[in-house]
Amino acid sequence: MKNKNAPAVVVAAAIAGLIMLLYILGFLWPFRIIHDQIFNPVGRSLIRVGRSVSDVFGFLGKVQNLNRENGRQADEILQLKQQLSTLKEVARENEELRTQLEFNKSLSLDLAPARVVASDVDTTQRYITIDRGNSSGIKKGMAVVSSGALVGTVDQVNDYSSRVFLVSDPQFKIRGTAQDGRANGIVSGQLGSGYVFGQVLQGDSLGVGEMVITTGTGLVPRGILIGQIEQVNKADNAVFQSAQLKPLVDVNRVELVFVVLGLKQ
């Protein structure tokens, strides 16, 4: 049986031999020009395009990675800021505690620290709400201090919170004593700023710079600082004299206070 593929093999061999002969004789140069001028540039262009596309995708990948890294760093920075803020608050409260303890050395008061959780300060009434109440032994009439100075007295008590009547309120009244001359009078708040030390007998001595302390009434012990005399108001024909007091603490901005439970035993 004759091989049916023999003619095809012969033809292929003949074509191959012809191409080799044409290449040797130099007759394939037109095809070489077409290959060099057309196919090679096209191939190189396709390669460049492929590389460009690869570079673009690589760049986009790097951008995405960079965004993820920036997001992670932003989260870390936020966490560090929160930690720093917490540390600052702790440091501030520790400083407040140290200041109060320093003022408290001579008085030996039994104190209960409390945070201010609300403030109601307007033109008619001035209160703050603290996070201590009956459950902590707080009672109506107890003194509330900050940095050793009087803030006000407890006006209303709930189980876990209390309302404090601020000394800056014009309706607030407490008995006070000038620390040097021992003049007695009534301290009250006033509209604007500062306190008034009034109903002081005309013959009693008051001096600028003198400290005024609590006289000691009810649940408020003697000796708590209230304010410092800035100006003395005296008239020859009046029965009483008065003085302007400079507050020793800004009662409208306190955040941490201490309720005076009594004297240490």
Side-chain angles (χ1 to χ4, degrees), residues 100-101 104 108-113 132 143 145 258-262 264:
Q100 183 59 48
L101 290 173
N104 196 37
S108 297
L109 301 177
D110 186 11
L111 302 176
R132 292 293 189 107
V145 299
F258 300 84
V259 182
V260 181
L261 302 178
K264 288 185 177 180

Side-chain angles (χ1 to χ4, degrees), residues 26-189:
F27 291 109
L28 291 180
W29 62 269
F31 297 100
R32 193 180 304 163
I33 292 174
I34 293 173
H35 178 270
D36 293 341
Q37 298 297 323
I38 297 177
F39 293 105
N40 278 352
V42 171
R44 286 194 295 268
S45 298
L46 290 175
I47 291 172
R48 285 197 296 270
V49 170
R51 288 176 179 173
S52 299
V53 171
S54 177
D55 291 342
V56 169
F57 280 107
F59 174 75
L60 293 177
K62 290 180 181 179
V63 170
Q64 190 175 16
N65 291 335
L66 183 60
N67 287 335
R68 282 197 296 266
E69 180 66 18
N70 288 340
R72 185 183 63 80
Q73 291 180 353
D75 291 340
E76 290 179 353
I77 291 172
L78 180 59
Q79 290 176 5
L80 290 173
K81 286 182 177 179
Q82 290 173 341
Q83 292 174 6
L84 179 61
S85 177
T86 301
L87 290 174
K88 284 183 177 180
E89 287 299 305
V90 170
R92 184 192 60 78
E93 291 185 1
N94 286 339
E95 181 62 28
E96 187 73 26
L97 287 168
R98 281 194 294 270
T99 302
Q100 183 59 48
L101 290 173
E102 187 67 28
F103 276 102
N104 196 37
K105 283 182 179 179
S106 60
L107 297 180
S108 297
L109 301 177
D110 186 11
L111 302 176
R115 294 181 185 276
V116 177
V117 295
S119 178
D120 184 9
V121 180
D122 55 31
T123 57
T124 57
Q125 293 182 323
R126 298 178 182 181
Y127 296 95
I128 58 174
T129 301
I130 59 176
D131 62 352
R132 292 293 189 107
N134 285 322
S135 60
S136 300
I138 309 300
K139 297 178 181 179
K140 183 177 180 179
M142 286 182 170
V144 179
V145 299
S146 176
S147 298
L150 186 69
V151 170
T153 56
V154 177
D155 178 71
Q156 187 179 75
V157 184
N158 301 311
D159 288 339
Y160 300 102
S161 65
S162 300
R163 190 175 71 168
V164 179
F165 192 25
L166 297 179
V167 65
S168 59
D169 192 296
Q171 300 300 317
F172 184 91
K173 299 285 189 286
I174 194 167
R175 296 194 62 81
T177 300
Q179 201 166 25
D180 297 332
R182 313 312 296 175
N184 292 315
I186 302 296
V187 176
S188 61

Side-chain angles (χ1 to χ4, degrees), residues 184-229:
N184 292 315
I186 302 296
V187 176
S188 61
Q190 64 177 358
L191 296 175
S193 61
Y195 313 142
V196 176
F197 183 38
Q199 298 184 29
V200 180
L201 291 175
Q202 189 73 260
D204 289 345
S205 174
L206 291 177
V208 174
E210 191 174 2
M211 293 293 182
V212 175
I213 60 175
T214 56
T215 302
T217 54
L219 296 178
V220 179
R222 182 183 184 86
I224 298 176
L225 290 170
I226 302 175
Q228 186 176 28
I229 296 177

